[in-house]
Amino acid sequence: MAGKYKELAEVLKQECIAPDIYSMWLQTDKIAEQAVPGQFISVYSNDGSRLLPRPISLCEIDKDKKALRIVYRVAGKGTAEFAQCQKGDKLEILGPLGNGFPMERAEGKKVFLIGGGIGIPPMVELSRQLPGEKTVIAGYRDDKLFLKEELERNAVFYAATEDGSVGTKGNVFDAIRENKLTADVIYACGPTPMLRALKAYAQEQDIECWISMEERMACGIGACLACVCQSKEVDDHSHVHNKRVCKDGPVFLATEVEL
């Protein structure tokens, strides 16, 4: 994995793209050049009372302009602070962090890119960089289909909404069944219940499945063990059946971890 850098990044643009969902472009020095789909950055608050950074996945990577796009949901005081940022403001960030999606596993294969809620943003850059036949299945609460246009540029797009206002009523599995979709490899990011069901689905269908786990993280570099998940193998760092989501992940082969 490439090195990690702490930078004072400038906000290039920010907008609200759905209720409580914000899109922010950041100008970086080195992070964008090193980043790959599936990684994340830690964003630090400018309020000294909030010591821990907020981990936010990368939505888009512009290596030519050295810029990163993050799309996040306002879920607390830290992200509420970020939502107030304007063009020209500065935020301290650390990255790129974690391991990205193993794109070489999809070569010559049909691929599902599955995102649920705030697990949808990582699928944008992945759909852009991943070669071959790609189908995005995205799960939303309602008709506010954020990032739909970006995803449609590089993949066949299907939506599932909890209230049935757009696409298939239900979840991503309902959309897969309704549209009789098939794939050889799955890349997914979203809430744990969705990933747990995906793991079972992939095992039943004998499909290789890679999942990006959403966990609360503290340090973001694997030192504090605040974001461990259960694994089948013994971790070299903690010597127990754990994996550190921030350092060993956030992307795992689904059969490697317990959900």
Side-chain angles (χ1 to χ4, degrees), residues 34-217:
Q34 301 294 329
V36 298
Q39 290 186 299
F40 67 97
I41 58 173
S42 283
V43 185
Y44 290 81
S45 168
N46 288 322
D47 183 338
S49 67
R50 301 185 190 116
L51 298 178
L52 296 177
R54 273 56 178 177
I56 302 178
S57 59
L58 300 179
C59 176
E60 290 191 66
I61 304 165
D62 190 329
K63 294 183 183 293
D64 292 334
K65 296 181 179 179
K66 297 184 178 180
L68 295 171
R69 184 187 187 189
I70 55 175
V71 172
Y72 61 96
R73 174 178 287 129
V74 173
K77 293 181 179 179
T79 45
E81 175 196 331
F82 302 154
Q84 299 303 310
C85 288
Q86 304 292 323
K87 181 180 178 181
D89 288 346
K90 302 289 182 65
L91 287 169
E92 190 172 53
I93 63 174
L94 176 68
L97 300 173
N99 296 305
F101 289 101
M103 294 186 288
E104 71 280 358
R105 301 297 302 172
E107 188 172 343
K109 299 177 181 177
K110 294 172 61 178
V111 181
F112 279 165
L113 306 181
I114 300 179
I118 209 61
I120 294 170
M123 299 300 130
V124 174
E125 187 64 27
L126 183 61
S127 69
R128 189 178 72 82
Q129 292 197 28
L130 197 69
E133 186 177 345
K134 298 158 287 191
T135 301
V136 170
I137 306 103
Y140 299 88
R141 293 175 179 172
D142 50 35
D143 61 355
K144 307 300 188 295
L145 305 189
F146 59 91
L147 301 176
K148 176 177 181 287
E149 292 182 6
E150 290 90 332
L151 290 165
E152 285 180 326
R153 289 178 194 146
N154 300 294
V156 178
F157 177 86
Y158 294 91
T161 51
E162 293 178 13
D163 63 3
S165 54
V166 179
T168 300
K169 178 177 174 58
N171 57 36
V172 294
F173 298 99
D174 296 314
I176 290 171
R177 287 190 290 266
E178 181 177 284
N179 295 285
K180 298 180 174 58
L181 304 176
T182 60
D184 304 308
V185 179
I186 296 173
Y187 296 123
C189 182
T192 299
M194 185 194 86
L195 298 181
R196 185 183 299 118
L198 259 180
K199 177 181 177 179
Y201 168 81
Q203 289 177 313
E204 290 170 4
Q205 301 295 320
D206 194 25
I207 301 173
E208 184 175 317
C209 181
W210 296 85
I211 58 175
S212 179
M213 298 182 68
E214 294 182 345
E215 292 287 339
R216 288 188 177 275
M217 300 178 193

